[in-house]
Amino acid sequence: MNFEMPNFALALPEIFVLCMACVVLLADLFVGERNRVVTYLMSQATLVGAAILTVGLHTGETQMTFGGSFISDTMGDVLKVFIYLVTAVVFLYSREYLRVRQLFTGEYFVLGLFGVLGMMVMVSAHSFLTIYLGLELLSLSLYAMVALQRDSIGATEAAMKYFVLGSLASGMLLYGMSMFYGVTGSLDITEVSAYLAQSHDKNIVLAFGVVFVVVGLAFKLGAVPFHMWVPDVYHGAPTSVTLYIGTAPKIAAFAMVMRLLVEGLGDLHMQWQGMLIMLAIASMAAGNIIAIAQSNIKRMLAYSTIAHVGFLLLGILAGTENGYSSSMFYILVYALMGLGGFGMVILLSRAGFEADRLEDFKGLNQRSPWFAFIMLILMISMAGIPVSVGFWAKLAVLQALIRADMTWLAVVAVLFSVIGAYYYLRIVKLMYFDKPEDTNPIKPALDMRVVMSANGLAVFALGIYPSALTALCVAALK
């Protein structure tokens, strides 16, 4: 038996994040409450270091190591850099929120870093087993983060529900993967893909395997009808944790879908396309319609996420390079918009006040015209109104559908997008046309003010000049 030494250099960012997460965990034991900011700064330094390593080691070539279970390619590097960026902003937005509520502990940042490691493994996975390991590392971190506020009944209930349904989804996914292993004799994505390309027989086990894999992915993505955990977890978790769950893991979920369905099961496209069509339509319909009835902005954004997942699936199911790049563009833009949306909820909150009702946004323009303008940009972009970056993201997906001769599906997506615009514009109306219930001044910390402004302006700038990010997504998938 020959043993080939793995090329550890390709996985250096993952190794670095793992080592640093352990160092931060140990360091947190020795710093007191007053010096807890050290844990925060070390966590931010870890993300900066990982970004430098990822960019520095990028060669533009596709390389594999660890027996073909780990892949280093342009798509993975681009997604990882966005994961670091989004997570760093999540940590920054969360700092003051956690401090005010006595939750500013090392656990939040250490779990966040282990979650980042799980996302990195998912992004660079090239084996069913590696994908599963990355997914479970991320999921376990998220379950613990949701339960961070131990004296909160809502957070505990959300964590229990998330854990039970997440375990069910993992079981579904693992069962589907085991069926593919049983038929192909391999967990390697390249080998499974090669087997499916050569095999022309209709195998009932493979058909069931596709069903279980798609159901598992739909659970993890929060697509209808496997979405029931999303609004409860978003609502019950502390807003800083909701911010984390609703942004960076979505980027990793896109990578998981690409690795599993496109690279691994691409030859079964006709079989999973039909299921994705049903999931996408149901997600857009239920997400947009139920969001209208919500009075809590965290639940509204949760249903909004479900609707956006439907749009994400539209690009994937098109089955073309154009569709995949449009989905990648869509999810990166969504992560930036979600970051700003949940960040604004954190910005308006204070001790004993969560600012998670829609009424809490009444008269925001009178309290702070600048932050009302930032929220206006975010809501217009989420609604997909021309010429916001959300509009370009939706347009790219629709064009991919039309080129794939699925015009009817594009029409359905446009109809539900028009319905969905209502609840985003309702927040704009509350901010600019209603009188404020709360007249307390908004005084965020300087770093929060600067980054929130940069977040909103980045979304605004991408609406004016989206071609750079579009070109990056196209180049990453070539």
Side-chain angles (χ1 to χ4, degrees), residues 401-439:
L401 280 178
I402 292 169
R403 287 175 188 169
D405 295 327
M406 304 180 81
T407 307
W408 69 271
L409 193 51
V411 172
V412 171
V414 170
L415 287 174
F416 285 122
S417 292
V418 172
I419 294 171
Y422 170 80
Y423 55 86
Y424 294 117
L425 295 179
R426 183 172 56 181
I427 292 181
V428 175
K429 179 253 180 189
L430 290 172
M431 291 192 302
Y432 283 92
F433 298 101
D434 286 13
K435 292 182 179 178
E437 292 182 351
D438 182 2
T439 55

Side-chain angles (χ1 to χ4, degrees), residues 154-155 157-158 161 222 227-239 242-243 286-308 334 341-342 345 354-358 361 382 423-424 426-427:
E157 182 184 336
K161 187 172 287 187
H227 66 291
M228 58 290 288
W229 61 271
V230 180
D232 291 340
V233 170
Y234 275 43
H235 187 196
T239 307
T242 308
L243 171 65
N288 283 315
I289 292 172
I290 300 176
I292 293 173
Q294 302 305 312
S295 59
N296 182 289
I297 191 165
K298 286 168 70 177
R299 292 189 78 87
M300 190 203 84
L301 290 175
Y303 282 106
S304 155
T305 300
I306 293 167
H308 285 293
Y334 171 75
F342 285 112
V345 178
E354 288 296 318
D356 57 357
R357 299 176 308 145
L358 292 182
F361 283 79
M382 280 192 179
Y423 55 86
Y424 294 117
R426 183 172 56 181
I427 292 181

